[in-house]
Amino acid sequence: MTSAADGGGPDRTAKSPERQGDLAGRSSGPAPDPTAPRRNPSRFKSVTGTRRTVAFLFLLPALVLLGALVVYPIGYSIVRSFFDASGGSFIGFDNYETLFTRADTKAAINNNIFWVVLAPTVATALGLIFAVLTERIRWGTAFKLVVFMPMAISMLAAGIIFRLVYDQDPEKGAANAVWVGIHDTFVDSSAFPKAHPRPNGELAGKSGGPYLTKEPVKAGQPVKLALVGVAADQMPKDAKPAKAAPTSSGEITGTVWQDFTLGKGAGGVNGIDATELGYPGMKIEAVKGGKVVASTTAAADGTFTLPAEADGAKLRLPQSNFAEAYNGVDWLGDKKFFTIHLGGFDLYLNIVTTSIMVSYVWMWAGFAMVLIGAGLASIPRELLEAARVDGATEWQVFRRVTVPLLAPVLAVVLVTLMINVLKIFDLIFIIAPGSSQDDANVLALQLYRSAFSEGNEGLASAIAVLLLLLVIPVMWFNMRRLRREARR
């Protein structure tokens, strides 16, 4: 047999009759019995080739641990939440009603709402900004190391650090030290916050000022304005020994000084002693008819001079002379930034919760930066360059190209941090002082207090169930997103 394709050569695809008979002989044999049982390998082995019984035995310890450590506690907490504090009486949904009506639990729910909304969002946003900016600087690796370093610190250590940072005393708290320094740069603080006149002196007024002379002053008669109340070690460094003011016929002269000397002193009460110091910088006003007609400040030795317009007026030491020194912000206080009224529930954000959120963002912004940076490194540079060639600005490239491509990574970071803040406990327990823990309260802390401080295990179980219900939607969203990514 020949083939036209190979120019008349033998057709290698055709089989000779002898070959066909041989193949038929090899394939012939007894026909299979249709009634015989068939072996199904998949019935006895898994897709990996392991027998299912063996696989089950290997998984059994993990299943036992999962049931003992996860399934049983969840089931027990759900059942326990329907009983009273002692666990002896079934009370139905009373614990859940208490959860949404009692003041401390409502405060915990309120704060948890802001924790879930604000803290993950801010940490993710900062991580995105840091990841983008560090790509444009030569020392980006060192910057990433510094930002990520707080992740190596435990929550307990971070809480102790920020408890010191937020200390009210500017001498101890770094936040108030900076804040007071900025404030005092633009606003002068008083050097005599506790100064006040003697009961039998020439000045009178309410505590904290202002203080006025009891009688109008006259030109040519020096005025003595004696004050006490300033500790010797708190007197201004430029204060000099007080002196009696010289007499001037056409002007009002006088002395304002610290009228206190250990022992009797040479000058006595309301008398100027050489060991007593003047009040430098003390402001003195002459008031006539309710109006200030003249003003001046005292010299280092406490002496002052007012023009003739002050004749017949009363002298006043303004309240600004005695204002308490600015002591910064009460970072761990209960001051509210705003309140939103939602029917019978008030949603508010206070300063102590915000301050603790800052410490959380300080710790977790590095985590967000590292994950987002890894996603940023996987973006094809051709897309960014193409956008720039088409005339897009850097902001447009960031907003319309970079962020959409990073959306899956941003979702992972955001969901992870949302789950993390739902169980936040350590920072609040350590940073918030006892007087402010009610204002900084969250569900995890309230669960601990209800179970161990109050001994109300029923309410604590209800809080645990609520936390579980809050986590489930977030986990469902994350699983749905992962499945959608797997299909692509």
Side-chain angles (χ1 to χ4, degrees):
M1 183 181 294
T2 60
S3 172
D6 56 4
D11 186 358
R12 299 181 185 272
T13 61
K15 297 181 177 63
S16 63
E18 295 80 3
R19 178 65 175 168
Q20 291 178 357
D22 183 57
L23 291 175
R26 290 185 181 182
S27 61
S28 63
D33 186 3
T35 62
R38 295 184 179 181
R39 297 178 61 87
N40 186 4
S42 63
R43 183 179 177 183
F44 299 94
K45 293 185 178 181
S46 66
V47 293
T48 61
T50 306
R51 293 184 178 275
R52 293 189 177 182
T53 304
V54 176
F56 176 77
L57 291 177
F58 274 105
L59 291 175
L60 184 60
L63 293 175
V64 171
L65 288 176
L66 183 66
L69 300 180
V70 178
V71 178
Y72 173 75
I74 291 175
Y76 180 80
S77 297
I78 294 174
V79 174
R80 187 66 178 82
S81 67
F82 295 105
F83 287 80
D84 63 357
S86 63
S89 300
F90 181 81
I91 57 174
F93 289 93
D94 287 359
N95 286 321
Y96 293 95
E97 182 180 353
T98 301
L99 183 59
F100 290 98
T101 56
R102 212 168 74 172
D104 53 355
T105 53
K106 287 173 64 177
I109 294 173
N110 170 86
N111 292 332
N112 259 105
I113 292 173
F114 284 103
W115 268 100
V116 171
V117 173
L118 293 181
T121 304
V122 174
T124 304
L126 284 178
L128 175 61
I129 294 172
F130 291 157
V132 172
L133 293 182
T134 49
E135 282 202 335
R136 299 176 175 273
I137 54 179
R138 289 186 297 178
W139 40 274
T141 303
F143 179 82
K144 288 181 179 179
L145 179 64
V146 172
V147 175
F148 188 75
M149 193 177 297
M151 282 293 299
I153 303 174
S154 67
M155 285 282 194
L156 176 63
I160 294 173
I161 291 171
F162 275 87
R163 179 67 181 270
L164 296 174
V165 168
Y166 291 133
D167 196 289
Q168 180 68 43
D169 186 357
E171 299 293 331
K172 300 178 182 178
N176 267 340
V178 174
W179 195 262
V180 170
I182 295 173
H183 175 273
D184 291 347
T185 301
F186 301 97
V187 180
D188 294 331
S189 58
S190 170
F192 319 104
K194 297 183 179 180
H196 59 275
R198 287 186 175 276
N200 57 346
E202 295 189 15
L203 291 168
K206 62 181 181 179
S207 178
Y211 300 115
L212 280 82
T213 54
K214 298 176 181 178
E215 300 294 335
V217 296
K218 296 181 180 180
Q221 297 181 2
V223 183
K224 295 181 179 180
L225 305 179
L227 297 171
V228 294
V230 180
D233 59 346
Q234 295 180 357
M235 287 293 291
K237 295 181 179 180
D238 58 342
K240 295 181 179 180
K243 294 182 180 179
T247 302
S248 177
S249 58
E251 297 175 322
I252 301 296
T253 59
T255 304
V256 56
W257 84 104
Q258 173 86 347
D259 185 23
F260 179 80
T261 303
L262 293 175
K264 294 183 179 179
V269 177
N270 292 328
I272 299 175
D273 192 288
T275 61
E276 296 168 347
L277 298 176
Y279 279 176
M282 178 73 74
K283 187 176 182 180
I284 302 102
E285 298 175 341
V287 181
K288 187 184 296 184
K291 296 182 180 180
V292 177
V293 295
S295 64
T296 188
T297 55
D301 57 6
T303 58
F304 61 89
T305 302
L306 289 167
E309 290 81 1
D311 188 20
K314 288 186 176 183
L315 300 187
R316 179 174 68 185
L317 302 181
Q319 190 174 7
S320 58
N321 290 321
F322 313 101
E324 291 285 344
Y326 184 67
N327 203 36
V329 178
D330 186 8
W331 300 103
L332 303 178
D334 60 349
K335 182 180 178 181
K336 294 181 177 62
F337 289 124
F338 61 83
T339 301
I340 303 174
H341 301 285
L342 300 174
F345 189 81
D346 290 342
L347 196 63
Y348 59 86
L349 179 63
N350 53 32
I351 189 171
V352 61
T353 299
T354 306
S355 299
I356 300 175
M357 282 185 191
V358 171
S359 65
Y360 178 87
V361 171
W362 175 75
M363 289 190 65
W364 288 88
F367 167 81
M369 176 193 67
V370 170
L371 291 188
I372 296 172
L376 194 62
S378 65
I379 295 179
R381 300 303 167 189
E382 296 81 3
L383 298 178
L384 304 180
E385 293 301 327
R388 294 188 181 100
V389 169
D390 289 341
T393 63
E394 290 300 323
W395 170 246
Q396 290 173 328
V397 171
F398 173 76
R399 185 166 60 93
R400 296 182 179 275
V401 180
T402 304
V403 172
L405 292 175
L406 285 176
V409 180
L410 295 176
V412 170
V413 175
L414 191 62
V415 170
T416 302
L417 295 181
M418 288 175 68
I419 296 174
N420 185 265
V421 297
L422 279 173
K423 57 183 181 180
I424 191 73
F425 170 83
D426 316 61
L427 288 178
I428 297 163
F429 188 76
I430 298 300
I431 296 177
S435 58
S436 298
Q437 274 200 0
D438 288 340
D439 301 298
N441 199 12
V442 291
L443 288 173
L445 178 60
Q446 183 59 39
L447 188 155
Y448 170 83
R449 296 168 70 177
S450 298
F452 299 105
S453 298
E454 302 175 17
N456 191 343
E457 295 182 5
L459 180 59
S461 299
I463 296 173
V465 173
L466 177 61
L467 282 173
L468 176 64
L469 294 176
L470 292 176
V471 170
I472 287 175
V474 182
M475 292 296 297
W476 174 82
F477 170 80
N478 200 29
M479 294 175 62
R480 184 181 178 186
R481 185 194 57 77
L482 290 174
R483 289 175 181 173
R484 188 165 56 248
E485 290 292 326
R487 295 193 197 103
R488 294 181 179 178

